[in-house]
Structure formats: structure tokens, C-alpha cells
């Protein structure tokens, strides 16, 4: 099984198949562990051997799971920023695409000529759908799919938010509306598949609040209090950074004043649930995974289907 996994490092469906096989064997060994009726010495020997094997299979489960995520992560990395931050999902809301292309080139990401096909939210959802389908086709537990999608949505949030915090051209009212709409498409996709309960939607909260921060009023003391009250998933450093980078959308909009930013800073200090004072999220953060125990139901000999190609028809069903 280890050899098979190494040969399928880029194949999502085959990796999911071997994850299922390893989990099944792991649960079967637990299900059929020796009972206390055995001789004590024999029981100790068998239990030790099985414990070692079960532990090895548990490690292999984690390896297969991480390989599954790594395949999807590789595909998502090049899609996240163009799809969530740069795509014109709401047509005509923001300015010319030329500005985004120039800014992307200056930021060091992969530039594309104007008019060329660029990744959209459909591209992101397609990759997430491939992961979900691979897990579903192997009848792996729903809780495992929830954990996998939670890891992927965290990656999406971290990459998008980190990029937003480093790009002045992204910090404006219209871009905030585009980002919020794009995230809502992801939320809807998760809910339509019953995956919202596992934390996948909750991990998107920092990006959602950052998009909302770009859209709310930023003038009065009441505005400052509202920002501090609603942006609980953002650190004070992140809030101040977004306010500092904020660029007026039109002549009717105004740049955020230094006094307003200082007011927000003072209010944030009084929060009881203050986030760690960090600017960028750790894109390499890995959530622990739990594999639910789900052994297959017991089958009687009469229910077994034995292929003729095995040439064991001489065996009798007990």
C-alpha cells in the first residue's frame, strides 16, 4: 500500500481509493482483535503484533489523507488570488482589468495578458468538487470530507487574505464587494453539499470580515465601534493595515484619516477576545485529522460473490 501511494502522488481518485483501503483494513483489525478467551501468553503476543500493525496503518491513513490534500492544494494555489480577489464576477463594478494585471506583475505573481482566460470561482469550485467526489465515490465518512474541505477553505482564506493585506489596489469598496460575493459562492457550494457543519465555512470568517471592512463607513466614532465589534476574526494589525491601505473608490469616497485609525486602535485594545497580533496567516497550518471508526457490516458466506476467475469453486460455503 505504501508503494501504491508513492506511485499515485498526483492522482486524486487513486489516492482516495488507497485511503479507503487502508482505513478499511485498520478498522477490520480493530474489529477482529483477539478476545479475552484466549490463553494469556498467546493473547499478549497477538495483541502486541496487532497493535503495531494497527499503529502502522493509522500512520498510513494520515499519509494518504495528507497526500490527497496536497494534490488539491497544488491545483488551488495558482487559482485562489485570481479567482477570489481579481475576477470580475460582478461585471463592471470595478475599473479596468489593465490595472489588476499591472499590479499583479509588480507583486511578483504570474501576469496574464488582458483578455486571456483567467481563473474564476468556477475553477476553484471545480477543484474542490473533484476532492469531494473522490472522497464520496469511495464512501468515506462525511466527517472526513468535512475535515478535508475545512483544510482547503482555510488555505483559500489564508492565501487570499495575505494577498489582500499586501496589495493597495485590492483595498477599495468595489473590490470588497467582489470578494464578498465570491466568498458567498463558496459558502453556498459548501452548504449545498452539507459540508458547513465541519468548520469549512467558519474558517472563511477572516476573509469575509476583511471584505466587509472595505465596505463599511470609516468616518465617525460609531463607525469605529462597529468595526471593532464586528471584525472579531481579524487582529488589530490586520484591521489597521486594511484601513491604511484603503483607497477611495470615487470622488464621493474619502481616504481613511489618521485620527480614525488611532480611534480604532484604542478600541481594539479593549477587546476581550483579541486575536494574536499578526499580520499574515500561516498558509502551512495543518488541522489535526480524526478518522471515525466505521468497520463494514458482518457478511455471511451466502452473501459473498466469488468471481469464477479465482478458480476456487471447490470451496464450500460454511
Amino acid at each position: 500500500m505504501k508503494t501504491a501511494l508513492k506511485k499515485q502522488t498526483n492522482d486524486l481518485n487513486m489516492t482516495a481509493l488507497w485511503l479507503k483501503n487502508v482505513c478499511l483494513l485498520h478498522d477490520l483489525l480493530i474489529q477482529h482483535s483477539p478476545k479475552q478467551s484466549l490463553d494469556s501468553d498467546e493473547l499478549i503476543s497477538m495483541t502486541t503484533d496487532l497493535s503495531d500493525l494497527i499503529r502502522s496503518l493509522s500512520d498510513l491513513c494520515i499519509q494518504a489523507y495528507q497526500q490527497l490534500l496536497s494534490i488539491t492544494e497544488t491545483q488551488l494555489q495558482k487559482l485562489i488570488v485570481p479567482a477570489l480577489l481579481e475576477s470580475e464576477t460582478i461585471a463592471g463594478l470595478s475599473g479596468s482589468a489593465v490595472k489588476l494585471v499591472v499590479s499583479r506583475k509588480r507583486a511578483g505573481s504570474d501576469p496574464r495578458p488582458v483578455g486571456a482566460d483567467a481563473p474564476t470561482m468556477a475553477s476553484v469550485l471545480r477543484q474542490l468538487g473533484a476532492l469531494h467526489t473522490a472522497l464520496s465515490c469511495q464512501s468515506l465518512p462525511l466527517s472526513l470530507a468535512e475535515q478535508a474541505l475545512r483544510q482547503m477553505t482555510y488555505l483559500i482564506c489564508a492565501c487570499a487574505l495575505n494577498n489582500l493585506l499586501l496589495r493597495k489596489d485590492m483595498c477599495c469598496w468595489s473590490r470588497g464587494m467582489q470578494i464578498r460575493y465570491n466568498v458567498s459562492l463558496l459558502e453556498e457550494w459548501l452548504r449545498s453539499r452539507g459540508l458547513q457543519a465541519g468548520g469549512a465555512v467558519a474558517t472563511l470568517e477572516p476573509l469575509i470580515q476583511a471584505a466587509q471592512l472595505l465596505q463599511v463607513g470609516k468616518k465617525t466614532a460609531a463607525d469605529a465601534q462597529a468595526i471593532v465589534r464586528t471584525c472579531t476574526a481579524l487582529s488589530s494589525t490586520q484591521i489597521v493595515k486594511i484601513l491604511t491601505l484603503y483607497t477611495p473608490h470615487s470622488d464621493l469616497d474619502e481616504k481613511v484619516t489618521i485620527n480614525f485609525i488611532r480611534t480604532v486602535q484604542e478600541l481594539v485594545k479593549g477587546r476581550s477576545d483579541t486575536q494574536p497580533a499578526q499580520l499574515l496567516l500561516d498558509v502551512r497550518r495543518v488541522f489535526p485529522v480524526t478518522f471515525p471508526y466505521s468497520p463494514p457490516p458482518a457478511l455471511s458466506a451466502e452473501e459473498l460473490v466469488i468471481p469464477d476467475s479465482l478458480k476456487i469453486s471447490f470451496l464450500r460455503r460454511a
Side-chain angles (χ1 to χ4, degrees), residues 68-276:
L68 200 68
L69 298 187
S70 178
I71 295 170
T72 304
E73 179 181 333
T74 301
Q75 297 300 319
L76 283 175
Q77 285 280 9
K78 56 191 175 185
L79 304 175
I80 295 171
V81 172
L84 267 87
L85 301 190
E86 299 173 353
S87 63
E88 293 283 342
T89 315
I90 307 175
L93 184 62
S94 53
S96 172
V98 176
K99 183 179 179 181
L100 290 178
V101 172
V102 173
S103 298
R104 181 166 56 240
K105 185 174 182 180
R106 185 168 58 247
S109 55
D110 186 22
R112 296 183 187 87
V114 179
D117 291 338
T120 62
M121 282 305 299
S123 309
V124 172
L125 298 181
R126 195 177 302 118
Q127 294 302 326
L128 295 178
L131 173 61
H132 183 245
T133 300
L135 293 167
S136 300
C137 285
Q138 299 304 327
S139 299
L140 285 158
L142 176 62
S143 63
L144 196 61
E146 290 175 341
Q147 293 176 84
L149 268 298
R150 180 193 181 201
Q151 187 69 59
M152 291 300 98
T153 54
Y154 172 79
L155 172 70
I156 290 171
C157 176
C159 289
L161 182 60
N162 288 353
N163 202 275
L164 174 68
L165 291 166
L166 298 175
R167 289 179 60 176
K168 187 178 179 66
D169 62 309
M170 290 287 107
C171 293
C172 61
W173 176 87
S174 61
R175 202 36 57 177
M177 182 170 286
Q178 290 275 9
I179 294 169
R180 184 65 189 96
Y181 178 74
N182 289 337
V183 176
S184 72
L185 296 177
L186 179 52
E187 291 177 288
E188 182 183 350
W189 184 90
L190 290 166
R191 291 193 177 98
S192 67
R193 287 156 180 78
L195 298 167
Q196 73 279 5
V201 173
T203 57
L204 295 169
E205 196 60 29
L207 184 59
I208 292 172
Q209 292 183 11
Q212 291 172 338
L213 179 56
L214 294 173
Q215 299 175 72
V216 299
K218 308 171 188 64
K219 296 180 181 179
T220 67
D223 292 338
Q225 291 174 353
I227 287 172
V228 174
R229 187 171 58 252
T230 57
C231 294
T232 55
L234 295 173
S235 69
S236 58
T237 308
Q238 292 167 339
I239 294 173
V240 171
K241 182 68 172 179
I242 292 173
L243 292 175
T244 304
L245 292 177
Y246 185 78
T247 304
H249 176 68
S250 65
D251 294 338
L252 300 177
D253 202 359
E254 296 179 9
K255 189 173 179 64
V256 183
T257 65
I258 296 296
N259 287 337
F260 183 84
I261 294 175
R262 287 173 179 168
T263 300
V264 171
Q265 283 178 308
E266 289 300 318
L267 290 172
V268 168
K269 290 179 182 179
R271 289 199 310 194
S272 58
D273 56 342
T274 304
Q275 296 289 329

